[in-house]
Amino acid sequence: MADTLIFGLFPNVDPTARVVASLQAMGIPDDHVTIMSAVPYSSRLFGRRHPRTRFLPFLALGALGGLAVALFIAAGTPALYPIKVGAQPVIAPFPPTAIMVFEFVSLGVMIMAFLGFLLQSRFPRLSPAIYDERITDGYIGLSVRASDRLADEIIDLYNANGAIDVRRESVALAEPHRYRHLMFWGVLSVVGLGAVLAPLLLTYDIIRIPWINVMYHSPAVGPQEGPRLAAPEAAVPFSGPRLVAGSPATLPLEATENSLQRGGVLYGVYCAICHGYPDGSPGSLRDYFPEVPPINSQRVQSLSHEDIFVTVTNGLNRMPSLAEQLTIGETWDVANYVLSLGEGAAPAGQ
Ligand code: HEC
């Protein structure tokens, strides 16, 4: 027996509830009766059971997912990429972890509530459905799917309860939408996402957002360009002119044990190659500088500390200046050392 769809429009809740009660008495199952209203009336107002929704599992799933993400970020990443400070074990600090857990659990619940709502309300319908514009104005629509046999009885019931409009409609309008429309919305979402992401990927090089922390963008000051600070008044300069009017600008250093030791080492590095070693062996460049005076010769030993300082600073004929190699203090150290050797036998070969 063919089914038919009977639609009625009622001005308010009371007559609608009476009709619903009568329909239930006639043995028509609840899921064949659809109530449409602009106001979210509770189902109980019409004497119907509260519709069961499977919302809680969605929320629980979201909460669990959020918890997992939060724990991974807060406790998992420090374990994956440990930063060891003072050989301490990796720690996941509690207060930030608690905040992360709260935030991510909330986020998971929100996302899943949104998705769950979309899934349970089955997305917008594509095919035409039964409706009347007056429902938007506050009227209540009632559609019943019933066998043709009961149609006249139901129409009478509607009219008896003050329906302002009653009509028979095609059953197709009440067909529940099938998975085909889920497919439609799924494909549409994927295509939409692709349409947004693909251009972004293609213009990756063009839409560049400069990151202000990149050193390339921050001002750079070269070694010679920086602002100079004047030395504090009481500061002691430790570099300055070596000579003033041809004479040492500084007083000789005291020939302490340390000074002589330093001078000996420096002499071995900078002077012995030409002037020969204190033990008498000649320097390896002796043959290239036949005019070099042995360091313990009378000519050298009769010089003053100042003379040696000036010779080392300026050089002398073919002796090069060693001012670049020796600081002022080091030059005095070498002078102390040279004169501490005293006059002696000329080194071998002299
Ligand atoms: C490249 C070889 C060379 C080196 C290195 C060298 N000298 Fe000489 N030095 C000479 C020559 C050559 C002379 C002789 C110059 C002349 O009389 O024409 C000389 C002369 C001297 C004199 C005598 C100056 C005078 O007035 O008679 C002294 C003192 C002296 N050198 C000290 C030093 C000291 C100290 C060092 C190391 C810090 C040193 N030299 C490193 C080649 C060198």
Coordinates of all heavy atoms in Angstrom, one line a residue, residues 222-299:
G222 N 79.9 47.3 12.0 CA 81.2 46.7 11.8 C 82.2 47.1 12.8 O 81.9 48.1 13.6
P223 N 83.3 46.5 12.9 CA 84.3 46.7 14.0 C 84.8 48.2 14.0 O 85.0 48.7 15.1 CB 85.5 45.8 13.7 CG 85.1 45.0 12.5 CD 83.7 45.4 12.0
Q224 N 84.8 48.8 12.8 CA 85.3 50.2 12.8 C 84.2 51.2 12.8 O 84.5 52.4 12.8 CB 86.2 50.4 11.5 CG 87.3 49.5 11.4 CD 88.3 49.5 12.6 OE1 88.5 50.6 13.1 NE2 88.7 48.3 13.0
E225 N 83.0 50.8 12.8 CA 81.9 51.7 12.7 C 81.1 52.1 14.0 O 80.3 53.0 14.1 CB 80.8 51.1 11.7 CG 81.3 50.9 10.4 CD 80.4 50.0 9.6 OE1 79.4 49.6 10.1 OE2 80.8 49.6 8.5
G226 N 81.4 51.3 15.0 CA 80.7 51.5 16.2 C 81.0 52.8 16.9 O 82.0 53.4 16.7
P227 N 80.0 53.2 17.8 CA 80.3 54.4 18.6 C 81.4 54.1 19.6 O 81.5 53.1 20.1 CB 79.0 54.6 19.3 CG 78.3 53.3 19.3 CD 78.8 52.5 18.1
R228 N 82.3 55.1 19.7 CA 83.5 54.9 20.6 C 83.2 55.5 21.9 O 82.7 56.6 22.0 CB 84.7 55.6 20.0 CG 85.1 55.0 18.7 CD 85.7 53.6 18.9 NE 85.5 52.8 17.7 CZ 86.6 52.2 17.1 NH1 87.7 52.3 17.6 NH2 86.4 51.5 16.1
L229 N 83.6 54.8 22.9 CA 83.4 55.4 24.3 C 84.8 55.9 24.7 O 85.8 55.3 24.5 CB 83.0 54.3 25.3 CG 81.6 53.7 25.0 CD1 81.4 52.6 26.1 CD2 80.6 54.7 25.1
A230 N 84.8 57.1 25.3 CA 86.0 57.7 25.8 C 86.5 56.9 27.0 O 85.6 56.4 27.8 CB 85.8 59.1 26.2
A231 N 87.8 56.7 27.2 CA 88.3 56.0 28.3 C 88.0 56.7 29.6 O 88.0 58.0 29.6 CB 89.8 55.7 28.2
P232 N 87.7 56.0 30.7 CA 87.5 56.7 32.0 C 88.7 57.5 32.4 O 89.8 57.2 32.0 CB 87.2 55.6 33.0 CG 87.0 54.4 32.2 CD 87.5 54.6 30.8
E233 N 88.5 58.6 33.2 CA 89.6 59.5 33.5 C 90.8 58.8 34.1 O 91.9 59.1 33.8 CB 89.1 60.6 34.4 CG 89.3 62.0 33.8 CD 88.6 63.0 34.6 OE1 89.1 63.5 35.6 OE2 87.4 63.4 34.2
A234 N 90.5 57.9 35.1 CA 91.6 57.3 35.9 C 92.2 56.1 35.1 O 93.1 55.4 35.7 CB 91.1 56.8 37.2
A235 N 91.8 55.8 33.9 CA 92.3 54.6 33.2 C 93.8 54.8 32.8 O 94.2 55.9 32.5 CB 91.5 54.4 31.9
V236 N 94.5 53.7 32.9 CA 96.0 53.7 32.6 C 96.1 53.2 31.2 O 95.7 52.0 30.9 CB 96.8 52.8 33.5 CG1 98.3 52.8 33.1 CG2 96.6 53.3 35.0
P237 N 96.6 53.9 30.2 CA 96.7 53.4 28.8 C 97.8 52.3 28.8 O 98.8 52.4 29.4 CB 97.2 54.6 28.0 CG 97.8 55.5 29.0 CD 97.1 55.3 30.3
F238 N 97.5 51.2 28.2 CA 98.5 50.2 28.1 C 99.1 50.0 26.7 O 99.7 49.1 26.3 CB 98.1 48.8 28.7 CG 97.0 48.2 28.0 CD1 97.2 46.9 27.4 CD2 95.7 48.7 28.0 CE1 96.1 46.3 26.8 CE2 94.7 48.0 27.4 CZ 94.9 46.8 26.8
S239 N 98.7 51.0 25.8 CA 99.5 51.1 24.6 C 99.6 52.6 24.3 O 98.7 53.4 24.6 CB 98.7 50.4 23.4 OG 97.6 51.1 23.0
G240 N 100.6 53.0 23.7 CA 100.8 54.4 23.4 C 102.1 54.6 22.5 O 102.6 53.6 22.0
P241 N 102.6 55.8 22.3 CA 103.8 56.0 21.5 C 104.9 55.3 22.1 O 105.1 55.3 23.4 CB 103.9 57.5 21.5 CG 103.3 58.0 22.7 CD 102.1 57.0 22.9
R242 N 105.8 54.6 21.3 CA 106.9 53.9 21.8 C 108.1 54.9 22.0 O 108.9 54.8 22.9 CB 107.4 52.8 20.8 CG 106.4 51.7 20.7 CD 106.8 50.8 19.5 NE 107.9 50.0 20.0 CZ 107.8 48.7 20.4 NH1 106.6 48.2 20.5 NH2 108.8 48.0 20.8
L243 N 108.1 55.9 21.0 CA 109.2 56.8 21.1 C 108.7 58.2 21.1 O 107.7 58.5 20.5 CB 110.1 56.7 19.8 CG 110.8 55.3 19.6 CD1 111.5 55.2 18.3 CD2 111.7 54.9 20.8
V244 N 109.4 59.1 21.8 CA 109.1 60.5 21.7 C 110.4 61.2 21.4 O 111.4 61.1 22.1 CB 108.5 61.1 23.0 CG1 108.4 62.6 23.0 CG2 107.1 60.5 23.3
A245 N 110.4 61.9 20.2 CA 111.6 62.6 19.8 C 112.9 61.7 19.8 O 114.0 62.0 20.2 CB 111.9 63.8 20.7
G246 N 112.6 60.4 19.3 CA 113.8 59.5 19.1 C 114.2 58.8 20.4 O 115.0 57.9 20.3
S247 N 113.6 59.1 21.5 CA 113.9 58.4 22.8 C 112.7 57.6 23.2 O 111.6 58.0 22.9 CB 114.3 59.4 23.8 OG 115.3 60.2 23.4
P248 N 113.0 56.6 24.0 CA 111.8 55.8 24.5 C 110.8 56.7 25.3 O 111.2 57.6 26.0 CB 112.5 54.8 25.5 CG 113.9 54.7 25.0 CD 114.2 56.0 24.5
A249 N 109.5 56.5 25.0 CA 108.5 57.3 25.7 C 108.2 56.8 27.1 O 107.5 57.4 27.8 CB 107.2 57.3 24.8
T250 N 108.8 55.7 27.4 CA 108.5 55.1 28.7 C 109.9 54.8 29.5 O 110.9 54.8 28.8 CB 107.8 53.8 28.6 OG1 108.4 52.9 27.7 CG2 106.3 54.0 28.2
L251 N 109.8 54.7 30.8 CA 111.0 54.4 31.6 C 111.3 52.9 31.5 O 110.3 52.1 31.3 CB 110.8 54.8 33.0 CG 110.7 56.3 33.3 CD1 110.3 56.5 34.7 CD2 112.0 57.0 32.9
P252 N 112.5 52.5 31.5 CA 112.9 51.0 31.5 C 112.1 50.3 32.6 O 111.9 50.8 33.7 CB 114.4 51.0 31.7 CG 114.9 52.4 31.3 CD 113.8 53.3 31.7
L253 N 111.8 49.0 32.3 CA 111.2 48.2 33.4 C 112.3 47.7 34.3 O 113.5 47.5 33.8 CB 110.5 47.0 32.8 CG 109.2 47.2 32.1 CD1 108.6 45.9 31.7 CD2 108.2 47.8 33.1
E254 N 112.0 47.5 35.5 CA 113.0 47.0 36.5 C 113.4 45.6 36.0 O 112.5 44.8 35.6 CB 112.3 46.9 37.8 CG 113.3 47.1 39.0 CD 112.7 46.9 40.3 OE1 111.5 47.4 40.5 OE2 113.3 46.2 41.2
A255 N 114.7 45.2 36.1 CA 115.1 43.9 35.6 C 114.8 42.9 36.7 O 115.8 42.3 37.3 CB 116.6 44.0 35.3
T256 N 113.6 42.6 36.9 CA 113.3 41.6 37.9 C 113.5 40.2 37.3 O 113.7 40.1 36.1 CB 111.8 41.7 38.3 OG1 111.0 41.5 37.1 CG2 111.4 43.0 38.9
E257 N 113.3 39.2 38.1 CA 113.5 37.8 37.7 C 112.5 37.5 36.6 O 112.9 36.9 35.6 CB 113.4 36.9 38.9 CG 114.0 35.5 38.7 CD 113.6 34.6 39.8 OE1 113.6 35.1 41.0 OE2 113.4 33.4 39.6
N258 N 111.3 37.9 36.8 CA 110.2 37.7 35.8 C 110.5 38.3 34.5 O 110.4 37.8 33.4 CB 108.9 38.2 36.3 CG 108.3 37.2 37.4 OD1 108.8 36.1 37.5 ND2 107.4 37.7 38.2
S259 N 111.0 39.6 34.6 CA 111.3 40.4 33.4 C 112.4 39.7 32.6 O 112.3 39.5 31.4 CB 111.7 41.8 33.7 OG 112.1 42.5 32.6
L260 N 113.4 39.2 33.3 CA 114.5 38.5 32.6 C 114.1 37.2 32.0 O 114.5 36.9 30.9 CB 115.7 38.3 33.6 CG 116.4 39.5 34.1 CD1 117.4 39.2 35.2 CD2 117.1 40.2 32.9
Q261 N 113.2 36.5 32.7 CA 112.7 35.3 32.2 C 111.9 35.5 30.9 O 112.1 34.8 29.8 CB 111.8 34.6 33.2 CG 111.6 33.1 32.8 CD 110.7 32.4 33.8 OE1 110.0 33.1 34.7 NE2 110.6 31.1 33.8
R262 N 111.0 36.5 30.9 CA 110.3 36.8 29.7 C 111.2 37.3 28.6 O 111.1 36.8 27.5 CB 109.3 38.0 30.0 CG 108.1 37.6 30.8 CD 107.0 38.7 30.7 NE 107.5 39.9 31.3 CZ 107.3 40.3 32.5 NH1 106.6 39.6 33.4 NH2 107.7 41.5 33.0
G263 N 112.1 38.1 28.9 CA 113.1 38.6 27.9 C 113.9 37.4 27.3 O 114.1 37.4 26.1
G264 N 114.2 36.4 28.1 CA 115.0 35.3 27.6 C 114.2 34.5 26.5 O 114.7 34.2 25.5
V265 N 112.9 34.3 26.9 CA 112.0 33.6 26.0 C 111.9 34.4 24.7 O 112.0 33.8 23.6 CB 110.7 33.3 26.6 CG1 109.7 32.7 25.6 CG2 110.8 32.4 27.8
L266 N 111.6 35.7 24.8 CA 111.4 36.5 23.6 C 112.7 36.6 22.8 O 112.6 36.6 21.5 CB 110.9 37.9 24.0 CG 109.5 37.9 24.7 CD1 109.2 39.2 25.4 CD2 108.4 37.6 23.6
Y267 N 113.8 36.7 23.4 CA 115.1 36.8 22.7 C 115.2 35.5 21.8 O 115.6 35.6 20.7 CB 116.3 36.9 23.7 CG 117.6 37.0 22.9 CD1 118.1 38.2 22.5 CD2 118.3 35.8 22.7 CE1 119.3 38.2 21.8 CE2 119.5 35.8 22.0 CZ 120.0 37.1 21.5 OH 121.2 37.1 20.8
G268 N 114.9 34.4 22.5 CA 115.1 33.1 21.7 C 114.1 33.1 20.5 O 114.5 32.5 19.5
V269 N 113.0 33.7 20.6 CA 112.0 33.7 19.5 C 112.4 34.7 18.4 O 112.4 34.4 17.2 CB 110.6 34.0 20.0 CG1 109.6 34.2 18.9 CG2 110.1 32.9 20.9
Y270 N 112.8 35.9 18.8 CA 112.9 37.0 17.9 C 114.3 37.4 17.5 O 114.5 38.1 16.4 CB 112.1 38.3 18.4 CG 110.6 38.1 18.4 CD1 110.0 37.9 19.6 CD2 109.9 38.0 17.3 CE1 108.6 37.7 19.7 CE2 108.5 37.8 17.3 CZ 107.9 37.6 18.5 OH 106.6 37.4 18.6
C271 N 115.2 37.2 18.3 CA 116.6 37.7 18.1 C 117.6 36.7 17.8 O 118.5 37.0 17.0 CB 117.0 38.6 19.3 SG 115.7 39.6 20.0
A272 N 117.5 35.5 18.4 CA 118.6 34.6 18.3 C 118.9 34.1 16.9 O 120.0 33.8 16.6 CB 118.3 33.4 19.2
I273 N 117.9 34.1 16.1 CA 118.1 33.7 14.7 C 119.2 34.4 14.0 O 119.8 33.9 13.1 CB 116.7 33.7 14.0 CG1 116.8 33.0 12.6 CG2 116.3 35.2 13.8 CD1 115.4 32.9 12.0
C274 N 119.3 35.7 14.4 CA 120.4 36.5 13.8 C 121.6 36.7 14.7 O 122.7 36.6 14.3 CB 119.9 37.9 13.4 SG 118.6 37.9 12.1
H275 N 121.3 37.0 16.0 CA 122.3 37.4 16.9 C 123.0 36.2 17.6 O 124.0 36.4 18.3 CB 121.8 38.4 18.0 CG 121.6 39.8 17.4 ND1 122.6 40.7 17.3 CD2 120.5 40.4 16.9 CE1 122.1 41.8 16.8 NE2 120.8 41.6 16.5
G276 N 122.5 35.0 17.4 CA 123.1 33.9 18.0 C 122.6 33.6 19.4 O 122.0 34.5 20.1
Y277 N 122.8 32.4 19.9 CA 122.3 32.0 21.2 C 123.3 32.3 22.3 O 124.5 32.4 22.1 CB 122.0 30.5 21.2 CG 120.8 30.2 20.2 CD1 121.1 30.0 18.9 CD2 119.5 30.3 20.7 CE1 120.0 29.8 18.0 CE2 118.5 30.1 19.8 CZ 118.7 29.8 18.4 OH 117.7 29.6 17.6
P278 N 122.8 32.5 23.6 CA 123.7 32.9 24.7 C 124.8 31.8 24.9 O 125.8 32.2 25.4 CB 122.8 33.0 25.9 CG 121.4 33.1 25.3 CD 121.4 32.4 24.0
D279 N 124.5 30.6 24.6 CA 125.5 29.5 24.8 C 126.6 29.6 23.8 O 127.6 28.8 23.8 CB 124.9 28.1 24.8 CG 124.3 27.8 23.4 OD1 124.4 28.6 22.5 OD2 123.8 26.7 23.2
G280 N 126.5 30.6 22.8 CA 127.6 30.7 21.9 C 127.3 30.2 20.5 O 128.0 30.6 19.5
S281 N 126.3 29.4 20.3 CA 126.0 28.9 19.0 C 125.4 30.0 18.1 O 124.6 30.8 18.6 CB 125.1 27.7 19.0 OG 123.9 28.0 19.8
P282 N 125.8 30.0 16.8 CA 125.4 31.1 16.0 C 123.9 30.9 15.5 O 123.5 29.8 15.4 CB 126.3 31.1 14.8 CG 126.7 29.7 14.7 CD 126.7 29.1 16.1
G283 N 123.2 32.0 15.2 CA 121.9 31.9 14.6 C 121.9 31.4 13.2 O 123.0 31.5 12.6
S284 N 120.8 30.8 12.7 CA 120.8 30.2 11.4 C 121.0 31.2 10.3 O 121.3 30.8 9.2 CB 119.6 29.3 11.3 OG 118.4 30.1 11.6
L285 N 120.7 32.5 10.6 CA 120.8 33.5 9.5 C 122.1 34.2 9.6 O 122.4 35.2 8.9 CB 119.7 34.5 9.6 CG 118.2 34.0 9.4 CD1 117.2 35.1 9.4 CD2 118.2 33.3 8.0
R286 N 123.0 33.6 10.4 CA 124.3 34.3 10.6 C 125.0 34.5 9.3 O 125.6 35.6 9.1 CB 125.2 33.3 11.5 CG 126.6 33.7 11.6 CD 126.8 34.9 12.5 NE 128.2 35.3 12.6 CZ 128.8 35.9 11.7 NH1 128.3 36.2 10.6 NH2 130.1 36.3 11.9
D287 N 124.9 33.6 8.3 CA 125.7 33.8 7.0 C 125.1 34.9 6.2 O 125.8 35.4 5.3 CB 125.7 32.4 6.3 CG 126.5 31.4 6.9 OD1 127.3 31.8 7.8 OD2 126.4 30.2 6.6
Y288 N 123.8 35.2 6.4 CA 123.2 36.2 5.6 C 123.4 37.6 6.1 O 123.3 38.6 5.5 CB 121.7 36.0 5.5 CG 121.3 34.7 4.8 CD1 121.0 33.6 5.5 CD2 121.3 34.6 3.4 CE1 120.7 32.4 4.9 CE2 121.0 33.4 2.8 CZ 120.7 32.3 3.5 OH 120.4 31.2 2.9
F289 N 123.8 37.6 7.4 CA 124.0 38.9 8.1 C 125.4 38.9 8.7 O 125.6 38.8 9.9 CB 123.0 39.2 9.2 CG 121.6 39.4 8.6 CD1 120.7 38.3 8.6 CD2 121.2 40.6 8.1 CE1 119.4 38.5 8.0 CE2 119.9 40.8 7.6 CZ 119.0 39.8 7.5
P290 N 126.5 38.9 7.9 CA 127.8 38.8 8.4 C 128.2 40.0 9.3 O 129.0 39.9 10.2 CB 128.7 38.9 7.2 CG 127.9 39.3 6.0 CD 126.4 39.1 6.4
E291 N 127.4 41.1 9.2 CA 127.8 42.3 10.0 C 127.1 42.3 11.4 O 127.3 43.2 12.2 CB 127.4 43.6 9.3 CG 125.9 43.9 9.2 CD 125.1 43.3 8.1 OE1 125.5 42.2 7.7 OE2 124.1 43.8 7.7
V292 N 126.3 41.2 11.7 CA 125.5 41.2 12.9 C 126.5 41.1 14.1 O 127.4 40.2 14.1 CB 124.5 40.1 12.9 CG1 125.1 38.7 13.1 CG2 123.4 40.4 14.0
P293 N 126.3 42.0 15.1 CA 127.2 41.9 16.3 C 126.7 40.8 17.2 O 125.5 40.8 17.5 CB 127.1 43.3 16.9 CG 125.8 43.8 16.5 CD 125.5 43.2 15.2
P294 N 127.6 39.9 17.7 CA 127.1 38.9 18.7 C 126.6 39.6 19.9 O 127.0 40.7 20.3 CB 128.4 38.1 19.0 CG 129.3 38.4 17.9 CD 129.0 39.7 17.4
I295 N 125.6 39.0 20.5 CA 124.8 39.6 21.6 C 125.7 39.9 22.8 O 125.4 40.9 23.5 CB 123.6 38.8 21.9 CG1 122.4 39.7 22.4 CG2 123.8 37.7 22.9 CD1 122.0 40.7 21.3
N296 N 126.7 39.1 23.0 CA 127.5 39.4 24.2 C 128.9 40.1 23.8 O 129.8 40.0 24.5 CB 127.8 38.1 25.0 CG 128.3 37.0 24.1 OD1 128.5 37.2 22.9 ND2 128.4 35.8 24.7
S297 N 128.8 40.7 22.6 CA 130.0 41.4 22.2 C 130.1 42.7 23.0 O 129.1 43.2 23.5 CB 129.9 41.7 20.7 OG 128.8 42.6 20.4
Q298 N 131.3 43.3 23.0 CA 131.5 44.5 23.7 C 130.7 45.6 23.1 O 130.1 46.4 23.9 CB 133.0 44.9 23.6 CG 133.4 45.9 24.7 CD 133.8 47.2 24.0 OE1 134.3 47.3 22.9 NE2 133.5 48.3 24.7
R299 N 130.4 45.6 21.8 CA 129.6 46.6 21.1 C 128.2 46.7 21.6 O 127.7 47.7 21.9 CB 129.6 46.4 19.6 CG 128.7 47.3 18.9 CD 128.7 47.1 17.4 NE 127.5 47.6 16.7 CZ 127.2 47.3 15.5 NH1 127.9 46.5 14.7 NH2 126.1 47.8 15.0

